[in-house]
Amino acid sequence: MVDKIEMMVASSNASLSSNEEAKAKSKSVCILPPRPGTAVMTYQELHIPREQLTAAFYPIQEAQRWLTLVGKNGKGHRFPLPTILPKVIQTRFVPKRHLPKDVEVDRRRRQYQKINLTEELEKAGLTDDVLQPTEEQYNVMSEFAFPHKFPLSFFDDSNFDINSPEAWFELGIVGDTHYPLPARAYLPYNLSLLSCQWVLAAVTSYNNDTGLWTLHSLEDDCIYEVPKLQFMFLAEDPHKYIKRLRAAVNERHKGEQLMLMELIVDCVLHEDIESTNFYNFKPVEDILQASKVSEQCKRRLRSEVNLVFERLMALYELEQFIIKMPKEFPQFRNINLKEFVAQSFRVEFSEQERQRIKALRLAIEKKRYAYLKATLYYCIGGIEAMMGVAIECQYIETLSIFTCSFSKPLALSDFLQSQEAHSDNTATFLKVYWPQQITTVITVTLRALGKGWLDISFNNWTVYEMCKISRFILQVKFRMQESMEVLLESSLNNFAHFVCDPCLQFLNLKPHYKWTSDFIETEFPFPKPVFAMTLSISDDRKVFYSTDPDEFLPSLVDIFKRGLEKSAGVRCIDSDVMTGMKFAPNLYLLTVELIEDRYLEQDALIRKCYTKSVIPLRAYAKLYERFIDFYLLPVNQYMTDYVTTRKPSSQVKADILEHKRQKEELREILPAYITIGPFYINVDTTKQIMIKKHIEIIRRIFEYYVDRMYETNDAILDRCIEVHRKIAERPTSIEHLYEIRDYALTVPEIVEQLRADIQIMWLEYDLLDSFFYNLSDHQFAMKWNAFAWPHQITVRLSTLKEEQKIDIEEFLRQHASECQAFEERLESLNDEVQAFSLVFKADRAQETSVDVKKTFALIKELEKLGQTLQFRQELFELEPLSTEFLESIVASFSPYKLLWYACANFQKLEEATLGNPIAQVDLDDVWAHLMEYRNDLVESVNNFSEKPEIMDVANIFIGKIDEFIPVYNSVKDLRNENWMYLHWVELSQLVGQDIKYTVSMNYQYLVRKGILDHLPEVHDISVRANEEAEEIRRAIEEEEKNKQAELDALLLRKQLRKCRRDIL
């Protein structure tokens, strides 16, 4: 900014001299006048010394751009921009007609991005059949599963690499963070070796020992280890990568041709060559005759020359077959067989070196003989046998009893199961296959030597101990034990590091440690946790882990011990190699004994680490005790209690906001997963349960509030509809019209109350609007219908009076016709009542009583109608309606009603008394009704004194009642409580017929037996029964008194005897 100001000063002061300009530049700064366009004015220049200017520093940070690739389930993976920029090498100064480096890099990046790798590979003929098998498929699957025998990575040319692995990973470093590198890789899909495809992947690491790169597939989210040829960085040139693949394909083709040619040549039989004599090879024979070697050596040389010649002849014949029959050998097209001919190379040895060796005057032959006599490796067979043993033992040293390469954390049970299976497989290999393989290697090699120092067919123990074979077997044993020691030591060290390294940060913790960080930030991070656990809350209000932390220590110590113990029992190979001799059956290699001290150290470390590992887990679990109440909260019971409280809308809104706040708080403060040392704890399950519970409660509160508003709205609508119905209803009578008119006077007050309630309801609906809650169409319509109803009621009320004027005129005409019809019905009723004076048949009392009831019902109806007409007369403001005629009719009808009702009721009472069981007859009720009916009949006799025919009917029924009284008395006698079985026997003897008493027996049964002729005797029997019962009662009371007197006397004598003892 200072330079800009100086430039502006220089441009404005062009008239200054050079000295003044230099002085101005060095001493001061000129601030220019305002922007151009303003009025031309003269300004005095203001000079500010440079040292007075405030120093300004603007930190400029390097802008970082990122590439984001979407993986499985929409998960994003970020890569720094340098990881996709092509590598461009240019001189510092750009030559003419060349692009700058940045432009060239960006141009190449765009070009590489436009290239479709899959299409280019298809154009180049690099299909799946050509690219397969991969190294993993080659190691696992059968060699006949693919058209080619070997993976392309065996023939890869590393000269195509533009960067070293270290240089590649430096591109992903941003600050202190190492990011993976994006690439396109040919990988299995979902860990299936049967199908591979080109997918996007993230390169995370490189193994210098194996030369394999670790890739994270973005398609299936799996981890793979592949060679460089199997993937291409996005910063690489796709055309060069395809060229690299084609070069590897060509090299593999040559290798497969060589393998096939060697197989064909080795399988061809040459009978003519086998019978060839060696006299034609004169140069060879001359050399052999001149040399001072044994005949055995000469035989071997001749055999080797013969084999070389046989191979040459086989190659020549194969070449002739290929030339003559090219269709039979399509795989050998464009092949030069001279490349496969065996060649010899001259050993260059200087003459000066020869002279120096001769000057030493060493007896080389004697030393050689002494060495061969002392060493086990005096022949090629011993060397090959021991080399085979070393190869097998070196393979054992690469194994491990425990597996420590998990792609993700496992539960303790899965971890133990994996370790158990892996240790079982390793132990099985050590005990079964390893001795067999070593035995096979030694036997195949040494059996071809035949008799000698390393003869394996000895059957004499003394000879065996003298020969080198015993030392050879002992050397093999030591080599096996050394391999076992390496295996066990590496296994226990790897396992201890695997499970203890994450726990080393726990060793300084105190027993009362408290978690000081929040829920998300861990205090004990570790990049690769071992064990997976889930944190949850139990029904007994305790925070627990899916695996109890106390189980880790005994489980790990146990699997550590048992895994090492499984390696014990590896048998020696003595008896398997020396089959002609007998050895002890319990010859085993030393295994666990070799590493006892180191095992105790690592075991103590594991115990110490996992004793401390419980402390942070307990401390972290305590943080979740604040969520116990809500986690165990039953939503149904909570909502039941919530509904019963019926909180106001403001409180409901506050509750909803509180649950939303708590839900968001859970999302922010609780992690999905957290690492605590070796433990990878899943908190997401518990977190999602509580979040879903908050969401469920919020949803249920909304549903409850909507239902409550629906009920309120529906009640208001019912009130509005009811008010409107009452004032809009067509009146059916003048009474109804006046009821509507009276109700209409109260409608304005009702409408005001409705409007107040609707306003309150509207305010409560604002709660749902504040949360943008969508009402159903039906409830939305109800809400606005309720708002519109008061206006509709008011409109209807304004038209009510005009409509009622017309209705009043119509009802007045109807009232006149009804009054006339009422007079006519009274005349008809009077004639009907007068007709009862001509009815006096006593045997038709029931039929006559029915007619009387019908007439009485008609009278009641006319009385009610008369009252209605009188009330309407008042409403129409007319003269009162006279009902004297109706009253006279009622007065003349009452005597007939009293008479015939009494007659009919007596007949019913008589039938019920005689027909019902005697035990169920209510005698008091029968007597009360009997006297009531007789009094009514006596009154009827007085009423109809001027009508003798009707008075005779009353007298007849009075006589029937008097005749029925003795029957009533006999029933009363039979119901005597003292009437016993012997009295029924006496009654049977009296009437002369057998009477069987039952509970259902009625009086008609006794009438048929003739009891009516003996009613006085029945009364006498009842009296005697009472007397006999009284005598029995007095006798019982006398007996009770005598017993009590005897008991009192006995007690008195006992008391007297006690008194005499006290005196003595």
Side-chain angles (χ1 to χ4, degrees):
M1 185 174 69
V2 174
D3 295 337
K4 290 183 179 180
I5 294 175
E6 290 180 351
M7 292 174 63
M8 294 169 66
V9 171
S11 62
S12 63
N13 299 325
S15 61
L16 295 174
S17 63
S18 60
N19 294 333
E20 293 176 352
E21 184 178 358
K23 184 177 180 180
K25 287 184 178 180
S26 61
K27 291 186 177 181
S28 62
V29 176
C30 178
I31 297 179
L32 295 179
R35 66 183 183 279
T38 58
V40 179
M41 299 180 65
T42 302
Y43 295 94
Q44 184 180 2
E45 293 182 353
L46 177 62
H47 298 278
I48 301 176
R50 182 179 299 277
E51 56 272 8
Q52 295 182 8
L53 291 176
T54 304
F57 173 72
Y58 298 94
I60 301 176
Q61 296 180 355
E62 182 181 358
Q64 294 293 338
R65 287 184 291 173
W66 301 87
L67 170 67
T68 302
L69 300 178
V70 180
K72 186 178 181 182
N73 299 325
K75 182 181 179 181
H77 299 268
R78 299 179 66 199
F79 304 94
L81 182 62
T83 59
I84 63 171
L85 296 180
K87 184 177 181 179
V88 176
I89 301 175
Q90 287 186 357
T91 59
R92 180 177 180 183
F93 299 99
V94 181
K96 293 182 179 180
R97 299 180 182 179
H98 285 73
L99 296 175
K101 182 176 180 180
D102 294 341
V103 179
E104 180 66 23
V105 168
D106 189 66
R107 178 171 293 184
R108 290 189 187 182
R109 180 185 64 81
R110 295 178 185 274
Q111 291 175 354
Y112 296 172
Q113 187 177 2
K114 293 178 181 178
I115 296 174
N116 190 327
L117 182 62
T118 305
E119 294 179 358
E120 295 297 327
L121 289 171
E122 291 180 357
K123 292 178 183 178
L126 299 174
T127 60
D128 289 342
D129 293 338
V130 177
L131 298 177
Q132 293 179 0
T134 62
E135 277 198 23
E136 189 173 4
Q137 292 172 338
Y138 176 77
N139 294 329
V140 176
M141 303 180 68
S142 172
E143 62 178 351
F144 303 104
F146 303 98
H148 298 280
K149 303 297 182 183
F150 303 105
L152 282 178
S153 58
F154 287 3
F155 308 92
D156 186 20
D157 186 1
S158 60
N159 293 324
F160 283 94
D161 289 331
I162 60 176
N163 283 326
S164 64
E166 294 78 7
W168 277 117
F169 287 113
E170 285 179 0
L171 299 177
I173 298 176
V174 178
D176 296 333
T177 306
H178 291 257
Y179 289 91
L181 308 177
R184 290 189 179 275
Y186 189 67
L187 299 175
Y189 185 72
N190 285 336
L191 300 176
S192 174
L193 295 178
L194 299 178
S195 61
C196 296
Q197 59 185 6
W198 289 95
V199 297
L200 290 173
V203 183
T204 58
S205 63
Y206 173 75
N207 191 334
N208 288 320
D209 297 332
T210 61
L212 299 179
W213 302 69
T214 302
L215 273 67
H216 180 194
S217 176
L218 305 187
E219 292 293 330
D220 55 9
D221 206 19
C222 297
I223 306 298
Y224 301 95
E225 289 188 351
V226 298
K228 177 61 183 72
L229 190 65
Q230 205 168 329
F231 71 93
M232 178 198 76
F233 290 107
L234 295 187
E236 289 186 280
D237 187 355
H239 294 297
K240 290 185 178 180
Y241 177 69
I242 294 174
K243 185 178 179 181
R244 181 175 184 172
L245 288 175
R246 296 183 65 177
V249 170
N250 293 333
E251 292 297 326
R252 182 177 65 181
H253 181 62
K254 291 182 180 180
E256 290 177 348
Q257 286 181 336
L258 174 61
M259 182 186 71
L260 184 59
M261 186 274 297
E262 293 282 353
L263 180 63
I264 293 175
V265 169
D266 291 341
C267 293
V268 172
L269 297 176
H270 303 279
E271 297 179 357
D272 295 338
I273 296 177
E274 292 177 357
S275 61
T276 302
N277 296 321
F278 287 92
Y279 61 86
N280 292 328
F281 299 97
K282 186 176 180 180
V284 176
E285 290 295 331
D286 294 339
I287 294 173
L288 292 177
Q289 292 297 331
S291 62
K292 297 180 180 180
V293 294
S294 64
E295 291 297 326
Q296 183 180 2
C297 180
K298 292 180 180 180
R299 286 198 304 271
R300 290 181 179 178
L301 288 174
R302 290 190 185 98
S303 177
E304 186 174 351
V305 171
N306 188 24
L307 290 176
V308 172
F309 179 75
E310 182 181 356
R311 179 178 178 81
L312 290 173
M313 295 302 296
L315 284 172
Y316 175 77
E317 291 182 5
L318 178 61
E319 185 177 12
Q320 296 301 317
F321 277 115
I322 293 172
I323 295 173
K324 295 178 181 179
M325 295 180 292
K327 294 183 180 180
E328 299 295 332
F329 300 91
Q331 63 272 26
F332 290 113
R333 292 178 183 177
N334 302 324
I335 185 172
N336 186 6
L337 296 180
K338 293 181 180 180
E339 298 178 1
F340 307 108
V341 177
Q343 298 180 2
S344 62
F345 299 93
R346 181 181 177 184
V347 179
E348 297 292 340
F349 201 77
S350 65
E351 185 65 25
Q352 184 179 4
E353 291 178 345
R354 294 178 183 269
Q355 295 298 329
R356 289 178 180 177
I357 293 175
K358 289 182 178 180
L360 296 175
R361 297 181 181 181
L362 297 176
I364 300 299
E365 294 182 357
K366 294 182 179 180
K367 290 186 176 293
R368 179 176 178 273
Y369 178 77
Y371 172 76
L372 293 178
K373 184 178 179 181
T375 183
L376 297 176
Y377 312 115
Y378 69 96
C379 63
I380 191 65
I383 297 174
E384 291 177 354
M386 187 57 70
M387 183 174 63
V389 172
I391 292 173
E392 296 295 333
C393 291
Q394 287 173 359
Y395 174 72
I396 290 299
E397 293 173 1
T398 62
L399 299 179
S400 177
I401 295 177
F402 306 102
T403 176
C404 301
S405 58
F406 296 106
S407 59
K408 61 180 181 179
L410 298 179
L412 179 60
S413 57
D414 298 336
F415 177 84
L416 297 177
Q417 186 176 0
S418 300
Q419 298 293 352
E420 194 78 30
H422 188 80
S423 60
D424 288 341
N425 294 335
T426 305
T428 302
F429 184 82
L430 291 174
K431 297 177 182 178
V432 179
Y433 301 107
W434 187 37
Q436 290 179 359
Q437 292 175 359
I438 292 180
T439 302
T440 303
V441 169
I442 297 175
T443 303
V444 170
T445 306
L446 298 185
R447 184 180 295 165
L449 297 179
K451 300 296 183 177
W453 292 104
L454 297 178
D455 187 6
I456 60 174
S457 61
F458 286 135
N459 53 11
N460 189 299
W461 189 261
T462 304
V463 177
Y464 168 73
E465 290 182 339
M466 291 173 58
C467 292
K468 294 182 180 181
I469 187 64
S470 61
R471 290 193 291 136
F472 185 87
I473 297 297
L474 183 62
Q475 183 66 27
V476 171
K477 176 182 177 181
F478 291 154
R479 184 66 181 87
M480 292 175 69
Q481 287 190 168
E482 182 184 1
S483 298
M484 284 297 302
E485 183 177 5
V486 173
L487 168 64
L488 294 174
E489 185 175 359
S490 62
S491 298
L492 70 88
N493 288 334
N494 292 338
F495 183 80
H497 286 299
F498 181 63
V499 299
C500 292
D501 285 353
C503 299
L504 296 179
Q505 49 193 331
F506 300 153
L507 298 181
N508 296 326
L509 293 181
K510 297 181 179 179
H512 302 291
Y513 166 78
K514 292 184 179 180
W515 192 273
T516 57
S517 182
D518 56 9
F519 290 92
I520 298 177
E521 297 296 331
T522 178
E523 299 182 9
F524 308 98
F526 195 76
K528 289 186 178 181
V530 181
F531 303 106
M533 295 192 298
T534 301
L535 185 143
S536 185
I537 299 174
S538 62
D539 294 336
D540 55 354
R541 304 180 63 82
K542 291 183 179 179
V543 181
F544 71 97
Y545 294 97
S546 56
T547 303
D548 190 357
D550 294 330
E551 294 181 6
F552 284 94
L553 177 58
S555 300
L556 292 178
V557 171
D558 180 64
I559 196 66
F560 186 49
K561 179 181 178 182
R562 289 191 296 107
L564 296 176
E565 288 177 349
K566 289 179 182 178
S567 64
V570 179
R571 56 188 174 84
C572 296
I573 62 169
D574 302 42
S575 59
D576 294 334
V577 175
M578 307 301 296
T579 56
M581 302 181 65
K582 292 183 180 181
F583 294 87
N586 58 348
L587 295 179
Y588 297 104
L589 299 178
L590 295 178
T591 54
V592 184
E593 300 85 351
L594 302 172
I595 54 154
E596 182 176 1
D597 296 336
R598 279 162 286 183
Y599 164 74
L600 294 177
E601 294 176 1
Q602 301 298 343
D603 182 72
L605 179 61
I606 293 175
R607 291 178 182 274
K608 185 177 181 181
C609 289
Y610 281 87
T611 302
K612 292 287 187 179
S613 66
V614 180
I615 298 175
L617 292 178
R618 303 289 189 200
Y620 186 73
K622 282 188 177 181
L623 297 180
Y624 288 83
E625 293 179 354
R626 55 178 285 194
F627 302 112
I628 291 177
D629 293 335
F630 181 76
Y631 185 89
L632 301 176
L633 176 67
V635 178
N636 294 331
Q637 183 63 35
Y638 173 80
M639 288 308 303
T640 302
D641 299 339
Y642 194 87
V643 170
T644 55
T645 56
R646 198 169 181 83
K647 298 181 180 180
S649 58
S650 60
Q651 185 61 40
V652 173
K653 181 177 181 180
D655 293 341
I656 293 174
L657 291 175
E658 179 62 20
H659 282 291
K660 283 181 172 289
R661 185 195 65 77
Q662 293 180 5
K663 179 190 68 174
E664 295 301 327
E665 183 183 7
L666 287 176
R667 285 178 174 171
E668 292 177 1
I669 69 173
L670 294 187
Y673 301 91
I674 187 172
T675 301
I676 303 179
F679 306 108
Y680 188 66
I681 301 173
N682 178 7
V683 189
D684 190 59
T685 303
T686 304
K687 174 183 175 181
Q688 293 302 325
I689 288 175
M690 292 191 290
I691 290 176
K692 290 178 181 179
K693 184 171 289 188
H694 276 297
I695 295 174
E696 177 68 12
I697 290 175
I698 293 172
R699 185 186 64 82
R700 296 280 292 273
I701 291 177
F702 270 123
E703 290 178 356
Y704 151 71
Y705 192 76
V706 170
D707 293 341
R708 192 176 85 176
M709 292 307 302
Y710 181 87
E711 295 174 359
T712 304
N713 199 345
D714 190 53
I716 291 176
L717 283 177
D718 291 342
R719 290 167 58 190
C720 294
I721 293 172
E722 182 64 21
V723 171
H724 188 271
R725 184 190 63 79
K726 287 183 178 181
I727 62 177
E729 187 178 8
R730 295 294 298 177
T732 57
S733 62
I734 188 64
E735 297 93 338
H736 188 196
L737 186 144
Y738 274 95
E739 289 178 1
I740 294 174
R741 179 175 291 182
D742 295 339
Y743 181 74
L745 297 176
T746 63
V747 167
E749 297 179 359
I750 297 175
V751 170
E752 291 299 324
Q753 183 62 37
L754 285 173
R755 284 177 175 166
D757 294 343
I758 291 172
Q759 186 64 29
I760 295 173
M761 181 193 72
W762 207 264
L763 294 175
E764 292 180 346
Y765 268 118
D766 289 342
L767 167 64
L768 300 177
D769 296 338
S770 63
F771 290 104
F772 302 101
Y773 187 87
N774 292 327
L775 292 173
S776 63
D777 295 341
H778 175 65
Q779 193 163 355
F780 183 79
M782 287 178 60
K783 172 183 174 182
W784 286 99
N785 286 339
F787 185 78
W789 264 115
H791 177 69
Q792 296 181 18
I793 293 172
T794 305
V795 172
R796 172 58 188 167
L797 193 61
S798 61
T799 61
L800 182 62
K801 291 184 178 180
E802 295 298 328
E803 294 179 0
Q804 286 185 347
K805 290 180 181 179
I806 302 173
D807 294 335
I808 290 174
E809 294 177 359
E810 180 65 24
F811 290 143
L812 185 58
R813 288 193 296 270
Q814 291 179 5
H815 178 68
S817 62
E818 288 177 356
C819 289
Q820 185 177 358
F822 179 69
E823 295 294 337
E824 293 176 356
R825 292 183 67 182
L826 286 179
E827 293 293 340
S828 175
L829 178 62
N830 186 32
D831 296 340
E832 187 175 348
V833 171
Q834 294 300 325
F836 284 111
S837 63
L838 302 177
V839 177
F840 40 79
K841 292 183 179 180
D843 55 348
R844 293 183 59 84
Q846 292 291 340
E847 292 81 354
T848 306
S849 65
V850 172
D851 295 337
V852 170
K853 288 181 180 179
K854 292 180 180 180
T855 303
F856 182 70
L858 181 59
I859 289 173
K860 289 295 183 182
E861 180 182 355
L862 291 176
E863 285 180 345
K864 185 176 181 181
L865 180 59
Q867 294 175 359
T868 303
L869 292 176
Q870 283 182 341
F871 180 68
R872 288 178 180 177
Q873 288 286 110
E874 297 177 0
L875 295 179
F876 287 118
E877 297 180 356
L878 301 176
E879 295 181 357
L881 182 66
S882 176
T883 58
E884 294 179 357
F885 186 40
L886 178 59
E887 293 175 357
S888 63
I889 293 174
V890 172
S892 61
F893 176 74
S894 297
Y896 296 104
K897 173 177 172 292
L898 183 65
L899 171 64
W900 293 110
Y901 272 23
C903 295
N905 290 335
F906 169 72
Q907 289 180 348
K908 293 179 181 179
L909 180 64
E910 183 181 13
E911 291 177 2
T913 305
L914 299 180
N916 291 334
I918 296 175
Q920 297 180 4
V921 175
D922 189 354
L923 297 177
D924 296 336
D925 185 61
V926 170
W927 181 255
H929 285 87
L930 196 62
M931 291 298 101
E932 180 183 355
Y933 300 152
R934 193 176 188 286
N935 294 333
D936 293 342
L937 291 172
V938 171
E939 184 179 354
S940 298
V941 170
N942 297 329
N943 292 335
F944 294 104
S945 59
E946 296 180 356
K947 295 180 180 181
E949 295 87 352
I950 298 177
M951 185 175 62
D952 292 342
V953 173
N955 291 327
I956 289 172
F957 276 92
I958 290 173
K960 289 183 177 182
I961 291 174
D962 294 339
E963 293 175 359
F964 183 74
I965 290 175
V967 174
Y968 169 79
N969 292 330
S970 65
V971 172
K972 187 176 181 180
D973 291 335
L974 294 174
R975 286 282 301 275
N976 187 359
E977 60 181 2
N978 296 320
W979 192 281
M980 307 297 288
Y981 174 75
L982 56 90
H983 301 117
W984 286 108
V985 174
E986 185 179 355
L987 179 61
S988 299
Q989 294 174 358
L990 181 65
V991 298
Q993 294 187 18
D994 186 17
I995 298 176
K996 295 181 179 180
Y997 174 75
T998 60
V999 178
S1000 61
M1001 184 182 70
N1002 55 18
Y1003 199 80
Q1004 289 181 353
Y1005 171 77
L1006 298 177
V1007 171
R1008 289 193 297 271
K1009 294 295 184 177
I1011 194 173
L1012 295 179
D1013 298 333
H1014 306 281
L1015 294 180
E1017 290 80 357
V1018 172
H1019 181 69
D1020 294 339
I1021 293 173
S1022 177
V1023 172
R1024 288 199 305 273
N1026 290 334
E1027 293 176 353
E1028 292 172 357
E1030 183 66 22
E1031 291 178 359
I1032 293 172
R1033 185 181 62 78
R1034 285 197 297 269
I1036 291 173
E1037 289 179 355
E1038 186 67 25
E1039 184 177 359
E1040 289 292 333
K1041 289 181 181 180
N1042 293 334
K1043 288 182 179 180
Q1044 186 64 33
E1046 292 176 358
L1047 181 60
D1048 293 342
L1050 179 60
L1051 293 175
L1052 181 61
R1053 287 195 296 273
K1054 288 183 179 180
Q1055 291 294 332
L1056 292 175
R1057 284 197 295 272
K1058 289 181 181 179
C1059 293
R1060 285 196 295 273
R1061 286 196 192 94
D1062 295 339
I1063 295 171
L1064 296 174

